[in-house]
Amino acid sequence: MSEIPVIKIGLCGFGTVGQGVWKHLTRSRADLEKRLGARLVLHRVAVHNLRKQRLVKIPAARLTDDAMAVATDPGIQIVCELMGGTGLAREVTLAALRLGKSVVSANKALICAHGAEIFATARKHGGHFLFEASVAGGIPIIKALREGLVANRFPRIYGILNGTCNYILTQMEEQDAPYESILAEAKRLGYAEADEALDVKGWDAAHKAAVLAWLAHGVWVKPRQMVVEGIDRITPADFKNAATLGFGIKLLAVIVRDFDTDELSVRVHPTLLPEGSVIANVNGVYNAISVTGDVVGTTLYIGRGAGQDATASAVISDIADAASLLRCGRGAQLIADETLPARNGCKLAPPEHILCRYYLRLTVRDQPGVLARVASVMAGHHISIASVIQNPSETADAASLVLTTHQSHEKAMRSTLRDLARLASVIEVPVLLRIGDFND
Ligand code: NDP
Ligand code: HSE
């Protein structure tokens, strides 16, 4: 009887995600092993602080504080990089790939910054880099784009890609609770990044949008080339105004390709969505992604986008794929990164080609003529006003003006915002939100 092969796995990082992977892989190992025809051994784990108390207990002999030793351990075939960051994480990833190992990663910041180098290294040395957990937590969106929707080109992908922000927005809307206390709760629940600014300022969603844009269109778009706006200036008043206008507010990533002009736009910003739309009703830590393919039409994916269990589910799926690649070699070809079709060739859309309707909230002096001055600035940039609401402001002698516009382009809107902020009668930095017209 032939011996069952043993596949050894190393974890670099044993925080929220790493402990989830250990816990759930231990629980489901027997079933997985049967399906894979191999034994899976969680061989070594690297952490930063060996003395830290952890909820998931593992034998001390398996722990080290040397992540590179795990990545280069000759006995380990699959290395899971679950530390985060772009420094040591990059070194560990490249070192393992150079040795022909497979690397499983949840690290969207790393992929966005160094994806081209990482995939080239995997290709060169015959290993694989798998990254299902890097976008939308437990939703298998990477597999969907790469495998299930392989027949398609993608004119539009948009959705909620950050669980922390969606959790914060939902709590702000439902409980009228202060932003800081909700953010603290999102951190306690293990949703937020070590640097929470990545979440609330939109950068984490931008990293994920870059990964999806690369999968769908074969180009690396850097966050600095995108419009990236976060949720940290949204107040309960914006939810009330949006509701009056018939909308909810979500932080969306939007990836649009015009196949006639071959222009691609990738952006992340808080967006007003019609309150009856499906995505406007996806709440809490859940993510939702609408993918429109030219063959399939529109498909929608909803699930938990952050947190220990959802993310562990995606990491373990990649471990299973990596094990399967080790067992079957190139038989399992479609999932391998080197088989991605080259779809390069599109260019980034300039701001004057990005069209949208806008919501603008201005805190202004409550004096005669102010509305006329605001309207004049907007008219000067050919921005057409669709509606105006005036509310009392919490600031003395001030009013809150909420304007919506007809469709305008991003360049004109940015110039408008700059000129409005210069008006003496505008007393706070204006808040600009986009209105999503997705019709699905
Ligand atoms: P945590 O901060 O909870 O865990 C990070 C782990 O890395 C800790 O165990 C830490 O050690 C270890 N670590 C940090 N520096 C070093 C070092 N120099 N050497 C060895 N180990 C080190 O992060 P998460 O688990 O939340 O996130 C990990 C990755 O997964 C990130 O890339 C994140 O973006 C991504 N991700 C996270 C999700 C989530 O919901 N949390 C969802 C999807 C992706 P120690 O414990 O000793 O401090
Ligand atoms: N901080 C991220 C989020 C983790 O909240 O979505 C999942 O990638």
Short mmCIF file of all heavy atoms in Angstrom, two decimals, residues 13-18 46-49 52 54 65 67 82-85 88 106-108 133 190-194 305-308 311, ligand 1:
data_model
loop_
_atom_site.label_atom_id
_atom_site.label_comp_id
_atom_site.label_asym_id
_atom_site.label_seq_id
_atom_site.Cartn_x
_atom_site.Cartn_y
_atom_site.Cartn_z
N GLY A 13 2.41 34.57 11.62
CA GLY A 13 1.31 35.38 12.17
C GLY A 13 0.29 34.48 12.83
O GLY A 13 -0.17 33.48 12.24
N PHE A 14 -0.01 34.79 14.09
CA PHE A 14 -0.98 34.00 14.85
C PHE A 14 -1.87 34.95 15.65
O PHE A 14 -2.02 34.85 16.85
CB PHE A 14 -0.24 33.02 15.77
CG PHE A 14 -1.06 31.83 16.17
CD1 PHE A 14 -1.57 30.95 15.24
CD2 PHE A 14 -1.31 31.58 17.52
CE1 PHE A 14 -2.32 29.85 15.63
CE2 PHE A 14 -2.06 30.48 17.92
CZ PHE A 14 -2.57 29.62 16.97
N GLY A 15 -2.42 35.93 14.92
CA GLY A 15 -3.33 36.90 15.53
C GLY A 15 -4.76 36.47 15.23
O GLY A 15 -5.10 35.28 15.27
N THR A 16 -5.60 37.44 14.86
CA THR A 16 -7.01 37.13 14.56
C THR A 16 -7.11 36.04 13.51
O THR A 16 -7.78 35.01 13.70
CB THR A 16 -7.71 38.41 14.05
OG1 THR A 16 -7.60 39.43 15.05
CG2 THR A 16 -9.18 38.15 13.75
N VAL A 17 -6.44 36.23 12.38
CA VAL A 17 -6.61 35.30 11.25
C VAL A 17 -5.85 33.99 11.51
O VAL A 17 -6.40 32.89 11.32
CB VAL A 17 -6.15 35.96 9.92
CG1 VAL A 17 -6.34 34.99 8.77
CG2 VAL A 17 -6.92 37.25 9.67
N GLY A 18 -4.60 34.12 11.95
CA GLY A 18 -3.79 32.91 12.16
C GLY A 18 -4.44 31.94 13.14
O GLY A 18 -4.50 30.72 12.88
N ALA A 46 4.98 31.37 13.50
CA ALA A 46 5.81 32.51 13.94
C ALA A 46 4.92 33.64 14.47
O ALA A 46 3.87 33.94 13.89
CB ALA A 46 6.63 33.04 12.76
N VAL A 47 5.36 34.22 15.58
CA VAL A 47 4.66 35.37 16.17
C VAL A 47 5.70 36.44 16.49
O VAL A 47 6.91 36.20 16.42
CB VAL A 47 3.90 34.99 17.47
CG1 VAL A 47 2.76 34.04 17.18
CG2 VAL A 47 4.87 34.40 18.50
N HIS A 48 5.22 37.59 16.89
CA HIS A 48 6.13 38.67 17.28
C HIS A 48 6.53 38.51 18.74
O HIS A 48 7.69 38.62 19.10
CB HIS A 48 5.43 40.01 17.05
CG HIS A 48 6.25 41.19 17.42
ND1 HIS A 48 7.46 41.46 16.83
CD2 HIS A 48 6.05 42.16 18.34
CE1 HIS A 48 7.95 42.55 17.37
NE2 HIS A 48 7.13 43.00 18.29
N ASN A 49 5.53 38.22 19.57
CA ASN A 49 5.75 38.19 21.02
C ASN A 49 5.44 36.79 21.56
O ASN A 49 4.27 36.40 21.68
CB ASN A 49 4.83 39.25 21.67
CG ASN A 49 4.94 39.26 23.18
OD1 ASN A 49 5.70 38.47 23.77
ND2 ASN A 49 4.18 40.14 23.81
N LYS A 52 2.96 36.42 24.65
CA LYS A 52 1.56 36.86 24.62
C LYS A 52 0.59 35.70 24.90
O LYS A 52 0.81 34.59 24.39
CB LYS A 52 1.26 37.45 23.23
CG LYS A 52 -0.01 38.27 23.16
CD LYS A 52 -0.33 38.69 21.73
CE LYS A 52 0.17 40.05 21.38
NZ LYS A 52 -0.21 40.47 20.01
N ARG A 54 -2.75 33.72 24.31
CA ARG A 54 -3.61 33.60 23.12
C ARG A 54 -4.82 32.71 23.42
O ARG A 54 -4.70 31.77 24.21
CB ARG A 54 -2.82 33.03 21.95
CG ARG A 54 -1.67 33.93 21.57
CD ARG A 54 -0.69 33.30 20.61
NE ARG A 54 0.59 34.01 20.69
CZ ARG A 54 0.85 35.16 20.07
NH1 ARG A 54 -0.04 35.67 19.27
NH2 ARG A 54 2.02 35.78 20.22
N ASP A 65 9.76 33.14 17.15
CA ASP A 65 9.57 34.55 16.78
C ASP A 65 10.38 34.89 15.53
O ASP A 65 10.63 36.05 15.23
CB ASP A 65 9.89 35.49 17.96
CG ASP A 65 11.31 35.29 18.48
OD1 ASP A 65 12.07 34.50 17.87
OD2 ASP A 65 11.65 35.94 19.48
N ALA A 67 10.02 34.63 11.76
CA ALA A 67 9.13 34.33 10.63
C ALA A 67 9.91 33.80 9.43
O ALA A 67 9.44 32.93 8.68
CB ALA A 67 8.35 35.57 10.24
N LEU A 82 0.37 35.71 7.44
CA LEU A 82 -0.81 36.28 8.11
C LEU A 82 -0.36 37.30 9.15
O LEU A 82 -0.96 37.42 10.22
CB LEU A 82 -1.63 35.16 8.76
CG LEU A 82 -2.02 34.01 7.82
CD1 LEU A 82 -2.64 32.85 8.58
CD2 LEU A 82 -2.97 34.51 6.73
N MET A 83 0.72 38.03 8.81
CA MET A 83 1.23 39.05 9.74
C MET A 83 0.71 40.44 9.37
O MET A 83 0.46 41.26 10.23
CB MET A 83 2.77 39.09 9.67
CG MET A 83 3.44 37.80 10.07
SD MET A 83 5.25 37.94 10.03
CE MET A 83 5.56 38.20 8.29
N GLY A 84 0.59 40.69 8.08
CA GLY A 84 0.21 42.04 7.62
C GLY A 84 1.44 42.88 7.39
O GLY A 84 2.58 42.49 7.70
N GLY A 85 1.23 44.07 6.82
CA GLY A 85 2.34 44.99 6.52
C GLY A 85 3.00 44.65 5.20
O GLY A 85 2.65 43.65 4.54
N LEU A 88 8.46 43.02 6.42
CA LEU A 88 8.82 41.62 6.66
C LEU A 88 7.90 40.68 5.86
O LEU A 88 8.35 39.64 5.36
CB LEU A 88 8.70 41.32 8.17
CG LEU A 88 9.07 39.91 8.59
CD1 LEU A 88 10.52 39.57 8.27
CD2 LEU A 88 8.81 39.71 10.10
N ALA A 106 -3.33 36.76 3.15
CA ALA A 106 -4.56 37.55 3.32
C ALA A 106 -4.24 39.03 3.17
O ALA A 106 -5.07 39.87 3.47
CB ALA A 106 -5.13 37.27 4.71
N ASN A 107 -3.03 39.32 2.69
CA ASN A 107 -2.45 40.65 2.82
C ASN A 107 -2.64 41.50 1.56
O ASN A 107 -1.77 41.55 0.68
CB ASN A 107 -0.97 40.47 3.16
CG ASN A 107 -0.31 41.75 3.58
OD1 ASN A 107 -0.79 42.83 3.28
ND2 ASN A 107 0.81 41.62 4.28
N LYS A 108 -3.78 42.19 1.50
CA LYS A 108 -4.08 43.00 0.29
C LYS A 108 -3.14 44.18 0.13
O LYS A 108 -2.83 44.57 -1.00
CB LYS A 108 -5.54 43.46 0.30
CG LYS A 108 -5.98 44.15 1.58
CD LYS A 108 -6.49 43.18 2.61
CE LYS A 108 -6.69 43.87 3.95
NZ LYS A 108 -7.36 43.06 4.91
N ALA A 133 -8.22 35.23 0.67
CA ALA A 133 -8.64 35.98 1.87
C ALA A 133 -8.32 37.47 1.77
O ALA A 133 -8.72 38.24 2.64
CB ALA A 133 -7.96 35.40 3.10
N GLY A 190 -12.04 42.30 15.98
CA GLY A 190 -11.00 41.76 15.09
C GLY A 190 -11.24 42.10 13.63
O GLY A 190 -10.66 41.47 12.74
N TYR A 191 -12.06 43.12 13.35
CA TYR A 191 -12.35 43.48 11.95
C TYR A 191 -11.31 44.45 11.39
O TYR A 191 -10.99 44.41 10.21
CB TYR A 191 -13.71 44.17 11.82
CG TYR A 191 -14.90 43.37 12.30
CD1 TYR A 191 -16.09 44.02 12.68
CD2 TYR A 191 -14.86 41.98 12.39
CE1 TYR A 191 -17.19 43.31 13.10
CE2 TYR A 191 -15.97 41.27 12.84
CZ TYR A 191 -17.13 41.94 13.19
OH TYR A 191 -18.22 41.25 13.63
N ALA A 192 -10.83 45.36 12.26
CA ALA A 192 -10.03 46.49 11.76
C ALA A 192 -8.58 46.09 11.53
O ALA A 192 -8.06 45.14 12.13
CB ALA A 192 -10.11 47.64 12.76
N GLU A 193 -7.92 46.83 10.65
CA GLU A 193 -6.48 46.66 10.42
C GLU A 193 -5.72 47.16 11.64
O GLU A 193 -6.24 47.98 12.41
CB GLU A 193 -6.06 47.47 9.19
CG GLU A 193 -6.69 47.03 7.90
CD GLU A 193 -6.40 45.57 7.57
OE1 GLU A 193 -5.23 45.19 7.51
OE2 GLU A 193 -7.36 44.80 7.39
N ALA A 194 -4.45 46.71 11.80
CA ALA A 194 -3.61 47.19 12.90
C ALA A 194 -3.57 48.72 12.86
O ALA A 194 -3.65 49.38 13.88
CB ALA A 194 -2.22 46.58 12.78
N GLY A 305 -17.21 40.03 5.49
CA GLY A 305 -16.02 40.54 4.82
C GLY A 305 -14.81 40.67 5.71
O GLY A 305 -13.74 41.04 5.24
N ALA A 306 -14.95 40.38 6.99
CA ALA A 306 -13.81 40.47 7.92
C ALA A 306 -14.14 39.62 9.13
O ALA A 306 -15.26 39.14 9.29
CB ALA A 306 -13.57 41.92 8.34
N GLY A 307 -13.12 39.44 9.98
CA GLY A 307 -13.31 38.66 11.20
C GLY A 307 -12.65 37.30 11.09
O GLY A 307 -12.33 36.82 9.99
N GLN A 308 -12.44 36.70 12.25
CA GLN A 308 -11.63 35.49 12.33
C GLN A 308 -12.16 34.32 11.48
O GLN A 308 -11.44 33.72 10.70
CB GLN A 308 -11.54 35.05 13.79
CG GLN A 308 -10.63 33.88 13.99
CD GLN A 308 -10.32 33.67 15.46
OE1 GLN A 308 -11.14 33.14 16.20
NE2 GLN A 308 -9.14 34.06 15.88
N THR A 311 -12.51 34.88 7.52
CA THR A 311 -11.21 34.97 6.86
C THR A 311 -10.50 33.63 6.87
O THR A 311 -9.86 33.23 5.88
CB THR A 311 -10.35 36.07 7.53
OG1 THR A 311 -11.16 37.24 7.68
CG2 THR A 311 -9.14 36.40 6.68
P1 NDP B 1 -3.24 40.60 13.90
O1 NDP B 1 -2.62 41.91 14.26
O2 NDP B 1 -4.34 40.09 14.72
O3 NDP B 1 -2.10 39.47 13.85
C1 NDP B 1 -0.83 39.71 13.30
C2 NDP B 1 0.06 38.55 13.71
O4 NDP B 1 1.34 38.73 13.11
C3 NDP B 1 0.29 38.47 15.22
O5 NDP B 1 0.25 37.14 15.66
C4 NDP B 1 1.70 39.04 15.41
O6 NDP B 1 2.39 38.49 16.51
C5 NDP B 1 2.33 38.56 14.12
N1 NDP B 1 3.51 39.37 13.80
C6 NDP B 1 3.58 40.71 13.67
N2 NDP B 1 4.86 41.08 13.42
C7 NDP B 1 5.60 39.94 13.41
C8 NDP B 1 6.98 39.67 13.26
N3 NDP B 1 7.86 40.65 13.05
N4 NDP B 1 7.39 38.39 13.30
C9 NDP B 1 6.50 37.38 13.52
N5 NDP B 1 5.17 37.59 13.70
C10 NDP B 1 4.74 38.85 13.64
O7 NDP B 1 -3.67 40.75 12.37
P2 NDP B 1 -4.83 39.95 11.62
O8 NDP B 1 -4.78 38.52 11.94
O9 NDP B 1 -6.10 40.70 11.80
O10 NDP B 1 -4.42 40.21 10.08
C11 NDP B 1 -3.37 39.49 9.47
C12 NDP B 1 -3.42 39.74 7.96
O11 NDP B 1 -4.68 39.32 7.45
C13 NDP B 1 -3.28 41.21 7.56
O12 NDP B 1 -2.60 41.28 6.34
C14 NDP B 1 -4.73 41.66 7.36
O13 NDP B 1 -4.85 42.73 6.48
C15 NDP B 1 -5.32 40.41 6.78
N6 NDP B 1 -6.76 40.25 6.92
C16 NDP B 1 -7.35 40.41 8.15
C17 NDP B 1 -8.69 40.22 8.30
C18 NDP B 1 -9.39 40.39 9.59
O14 NDP B 1 -10.64 40.36 9.60
N7 NDP B 1 -8.68 40.57 10.71
C19 NDP B 1 -9.53 39.85 7.14
C20 NDP B 1 -8.80 39.67 5.90
C21 NDP B 1 -7.47 39.88 5.82
P3 NDP B 1 1.91 38.73 18.03
O15 NDP B 1 0.60 38.02 18.14
O16 NDP B 1 2.97 38.12 18.87
O17 NDP B 1 1.78 40.21 18.18
#
